[in-house]
Amino acid sequence: MSKLDGRVAFITGAGRGQGRAHAVRLAREGADIIGIDICANVASMTYPNASEADLAETEKMVRELGRTMIARKADVRDYDALGTAFRDGYEHFGRLDIIVANAGIIRMGPESDDFLADWNDVIDTNLTGVYHTIRAALPALREGGRGGSIVITSSTAGLKASPSLNASGNAYAAAKRGVVALMQGLAGYLAPEWIRVNTIHPTGVASGMTLNDAMRELMEQAAAGGQNSISGMQNALPLQMLEAEDIANAVAFLVSDEAKFITGVQWPLDAGFMIR
């Protein structure tokens, strides 16, 4: 028996990066997956999002592990579409045990001329989208009567914001701090039902959000002594970035029975970033 045999996880942002790593890691532990991704670009962002082909590849990787994934295209900003996508998976599996609210975006580089779009797109995805995700799936999780686990992807920025006036950067930090308050409220409310709610706070992770031309330009500027949104970021451990699988390993523990006593926690997965 694997740790998550028979359980079902709902994961947002499952097309690539951390979302894909979560889907594959939880499937390896025996879980079936309901996975969604926007599979479209956001105009205010400076890098491409996952594609429908990316989401199909995640589904294939889960299937190769002997598990089933119901993959759907949906935008977490659209509550009705998100709910429809979730229900497709829930009707197929008939249960839900885990929610991983992972989808997130940030504009890399200077803010655009429409700084309000930069702000709104990040807040709507990274904060409101998390709320949408949980509210869409929570009734099914509670209905099972077996308890469960909700993991929200925050960031080190949700613990310590960097000095900035950049609309997207400020929105990112505000959203990632905001989901901590959401987590704490839900954790206290749902604890009597054995539903645990926690946030994870990764440092930089190798993914489509960080491995792109916009990020490379920022890294070159920082390496040359320039000041930008990443110039002050450095881990204590000699790791430039974590791998998505590193975060997925932590999530697999957090949603397992081995962590049955852990709720309301802000867990830094940060290679020592917070102690610098």
Side-chain angles (χ1 to χ4, degrees), residues 14-16 20 39 49-59 61:
R16 68 180 184 198
R20 172 183 286 176
C39 299
N49 280 328
S51 65
E52 292 185 54
D54 290 325
L55 184 60
E57 178 63 20
T58 303
E59 189 276 332
M61 294 170 75

Side-chain angles (χ1 to χ4, degrees), residues 167-250:
S168 180
N170 284 344
Y172 186 83
K176 295 303 188 179
R177 181 73 63 89
V179 296
V180 172
L182 176 61
M183 173 274 288
Q184 290 171 333
L186 291 170
Y189 185 81
L190 295 170
E193 300 174 47
W194 279 101
I195 295 174
R196 302 178 295 105
V197 191
N198 298 285
T199 51
I200 56 172
H201 297 261
T203 184
V205 179
S207 70
M209 179 184 285
T210 55
L211 302 179
N212 54 63
D213 290 340
M215 175 59 92
R216 276 190 287 273
E217 183 174 338
L218 288 175
M219 292 178 71
E220 288 170 2
Q221 289 173 353
Q227 295 297 310
N228 58 37
S229 59
I230 67 165
S231 56
M233 296 182 64
Q234 188 173 356
N235 300 323
L237 294 176
L239 291 167
Q240 186 175 40
M241 287 188 183
L242 300 182
E243 297 297 326
E245 290 74 17
D246 296 325
I247 311 305
N249 289 337

Side-chain angles (χ1 to χ4, degrees), residues 87-191:
R87 285 191 296 274
D88 283 351
Y90 183 63
E91 289 170 4
H92 179 88
F93 294 119
R95 68 180 287 166
L96 180 70
D97 304 275
I98 298 161
I99 300 171
V100 183
N102 168 76
I105 59 172
I106 186 173
R107 178 184 173 87
M108 297 294 183
E111 64 184 22
S112 71
D113 292 336
D114 188 356
F115 67 89
L116 288 179
D118 301 351
W119 171 273
N120 288 329
D121 285 339
V122 172
I123 292 291
D124 290 348
T125 301
N126 296 9
L127 180 56
T128 305
V130 168
Y131 182 69
H132 285 170
T133 298
I134 294 170
R135 287 302 297 257
L138 185 58
L141 187 61
R142 300 178 78 184
E143 185 178 286
R146 297 176 296 269
S149 179
I150 301 172
V151 178
I152 301 170
T153 302
S154 182
S155 165
T156 52
L159 300 173
K160 182 175 70 173
S162 300
S164 177
L165 186 61
N166 182 286
S168 180
N170 284 344
Y172 186 83
K176 295 303 188 179
R177 181 73 63 89
V179 296
V180 172
L182 176 61
M183 173 274 288
Q184 290 171 333
L186 291 170
Y189 185 81
L190 295 170

Side-chain angles (χ1 to χ4, degrees), residues 6-79:
R7 301 186 194 184
V8 176
F10 177 41
I11 303 172
T12 63
R16 68 180 184 198
Q18 291 184 56
R20 172 183 286 176
H22 299 329
V24 171
R25 184 68 173 81
L26 299 189
R28 187 173 293 120
E29 292 295 338
D32 291 313
I33 309 296
I34 305 167
I36 70 104
D37 202 288
I38 186 173
C39 299
N41 294 335
V42 176
S44 62
M45 299 299 105
T46 51
Y47 60 88
N49 280 328
S51 65
E52 292 185 54
D54 290 325
L55 184 60
E57 178 63 20
T58 303
E59 189 276 332
K60 177 175 178 286
M61 294 170 75
V62 169
R63 187 173 65 248
E64 289 173 345
L65 291 169
R67 308 313 307 171
T68 299
M69 175 173 168
I70 303 299
R72 293 291 183 269
K73 178 179 176 178
D75 184 344
V76 295
R77 296 174 295 177
D78 185 338
Y79 181 76

